[in-house]
Amino acid sequence: GQQLNQSPQSMFIQEGEDVSMNCTSSSIFNTWLWYKQDPGEGPVLLIALYKAGELTSNGRLTAQFGTTRKDSFLNISASIPSDVGIYFCAGQLRQGAQKLVFGQGTRLTINP
Amino acid sequence: GAVVSQHPSWVICKSGTSVKIECRSLDFQATTMFWYRQFPKQSLMLMATSNEGSKATYEQGVEKDKFLINHASLTLSTLTVTSAHPEDSSFYICSVLLRDTIYFGEGSWLTVV
């Protein structure tokens, strides 16, 4: 099925470093979502983006909806140990659409 | 606060038995819920769309007789894994749509021995 291309697949960084990950698609999406999943738990919504070009922050997290509607990035500044987990991008073909298309996930590991 | 809740968080069952997983929307009515399956180190795979009062819609390749979905009320959908086998062991997650945003349950670990 349709899938978003998310990169990188994994990251190993030092505590305090900034992190950047992105998702691209050949299709246009009207909504981009970023989730974080901790081991053994369901994904938790971090940021939702509804407009092309939109830049939204949530604490140390910043995400942008690409102007072409085919990509999005997520940045984490000054990483801390609790940022460890798997980050997924997800797209909705239209706002309020109930089906999500997921990226493959970015596994973030932080060395203290 | 939480929007959706799953139960149980984890379950172990014997091969050949059936196991039921519940997904509840909290403080709102959800006419549609979604069931996902996730293998270790992989992304979420949509299994089916659960529709209140009607049959579920299954994704291609998902056996509807194997994974029975019942959405009998506006706040509860259940996924029953019938005649479970070890290869059915996985992490199962439900989701709901609330105000244009999709929220996920905590997930349920199923181990078939």
Side-chain angles (χ1 to χ4, degrees):
Chain A
Q2 197 172 30
Q3 193 171 40
L4 301 176
N5 297 313
Q6 185 172 348
S7 65
Q9 292 188 11
S10 60
M11 301 184 72
F12 299 85
I13 63 170
Q14 297 293 125
E15 182 177 351
E17 289 185 9
D18 296 342
V19 173
S20 183
M21 60 191 78
N22 70 83
C23 275
T24 61
S25 171
S26 57
S27 302
I28 291 176
F29 287 91
N30 282 332
T31 302
W32 284 86
L33 305 165
W34 285 92
Y35 292 88
K36 180 186 179 219
Q37 185 177 28
D38 291 326
E41 299 182 14
V44 174
L45 180 66
L46 299 174
I47 293 179
L49 302 162
Y50 299 108
K51 297 179 181 179
E54 180 181 355
L55 182 71
T56 299
S57 294
N58 178 8
R60 295 177 295 105
L61 278 62
T62 301
Q64 185 159 30
F65 192 150
T67 54
T68 65
R69 295 181 176 270
K70 294 183 178 181
D71 63 302
S72 177
F73 71 75
L74 174 70
N75 289 340
I76 305 173
S77 63
S79 59
I80 59 178
S82 61
D83 291 334
V84 167
I86 303 176
Y87 292 80
F88 289 100
C89 64
Q92 290 174 288
L93 289 173
R94 58 176 177 81
Q95 187 169 335
Q98 303 199 59
K99 280 193 178 182
L100 286 180
V101 179
F102 278 92
Q104 303 95 326
T106 297
R107 182 179 296 271
L108 179 62
T109 303
I110 298 175
N111 298 314
Chain B
V3 172
V4 58
S5 178
Q6 267 182 257
H7 178 82
S9 298
W10 57 270
V11 57
I12 301 173
C13 71
K14 292 184 177 181
S15 289
T17 63
S18 296
V19 61
K20 181 185 290 187
I21 301 170
E22 294 183 347
C23 179
R24 294 182 183 273
S25 58
L26 304 177
D27 299 324
F28 75 99
Q29 296 177 335
T31 56
T32 304
M33 295 184 181
F34 295 86
W35 287 96
Y36 292 82
R37 183 175 183 178
Q38 186 179 32
F39 292 104
K41 298 185 179 181
Q42 293 189 23
S43 189
L44 287 77
M45 180 189 77
L46 180 64
M47 298 175 65
T49 303
S50 173
N51 305 298
E52 188 270 334
S54 64
K55 291 182 179 180
T57 305
Y58 290 82
E59 296 299 303
Q60 189 174 10
V62 179
E63 300 176 61
K64 61 180 180 180
D65 295 329
K66 174 75 169 176
F67 299 100
L68 298 179
I69 292 173
N70 186 295
H71 196 149
S73 79
L74 287 170
T75 59
L76 174 64
S77 174
T78 60
L79 169 67
T80 302
V81 182
T82 63
S83 186
H85 289 98
E87 57 265 32
D88 297 326
S89 299
S90 189
F91 191 50
Y92 294 88
I93 314 172
C94 69
S95 72
V96 299
L97 178 70
L98 176 62
R99 293 191 290 272
D100 289 346
T101 301
I102 291 180
Y103 296 90
F104 288 87
E106 309 95 323
S108 300
W109 281 103
L110 170 62
T111 301
V112 184
V113 298

